[in-house]
Amino acid sequence: QVQLVESGGGLVQTGGSLRLSCAASGTDSVLGMGWYRQAPGKDREFIASINQSGGITVYPNGMSGRFTISRDGTGNTVYLQIHDLKLEDTAVYYCNAGESWSGNSPMDYWGKGTLVTVSS
């Protein structure tokens, strides 16, 4: 069974940077991977995804250039670099992955999330 474990969240001041990580286990397949977030009182929001080779990344229209997704080659670890953190970035950040990657559609597997809290 595929398991996704996020790390790297925490308390950060506005203007700071953070790198979130997500490692997948329980599979020999190379997964498509991505990130979503859910702020208090809001719907879960797509942030970015990356295909199995790492050669294609997708962000939603209008997504700030402050977010960058990457992965460790064809390993099943994905990263989300966030620069210039803002108060509105406060959210639980979820890793998402699956054998079938299609850009901005949710895939089959979810992590439990890592909380990012941005303070002024």
Side-chain angles (χ1 to χ4, degrees):
Q1 182 163 349
V2 174
Q3 291 188 320
L4 305 178
V5 178
E6 302 98 334
S7 60
L11 179 63
V12 187
Q13 289 191 324
T14 53
S17 297
L18 206 61
R19 189 174 84 154
L20 306 180
S21 301
C22 170
S25 62
T27 180
D28 291 329
S29 300
V30 180
L31 304 174
M33 304 188 80
W35 290 95
Y36 287 71
R37 70 180 179 183
Q38 188 165 20
K42 295 190 175 182
D43 293 336
R44 193 169 293 191
E45 174 188 25
F46 171 65
I47 299 174
S49 73
I50 189 166
N51 74 335
Q52 283 86 339
S53 71
I56 302 174
T57 57
V58 174
Y59 301 87
N61 289 336
M63 175 55 66
S64 169
R66 299 184 295 111
F67 296 85
T68 304
I69 190 170
S70 61
R71 67 184 300 156
D72 61 339
T74 56
N76 283 331
T77 298
V78 66
Y79 307 98
L80 183 69
Q81 182 75 48
I82 314 172
H83 293 292
D84 190 22
L85 279 153
K86 303 182 184 301
L87 295 175
E88 54 264 37
D89 294 322
T90 294
V92 178
Y93 285 72
Y94 294 94
C95 183
N96 178 234
E99 287 87 357
S100 179
W101 178 84
S102 59
N104 60 0
S105 298
M107 294 170 278
D108 291 335
Y109 312 116
W110 292 93
K112 293 183 179 180
T114 185
L115 176 63
V116 173
T117 303
V118 183
S119 67
S120 58

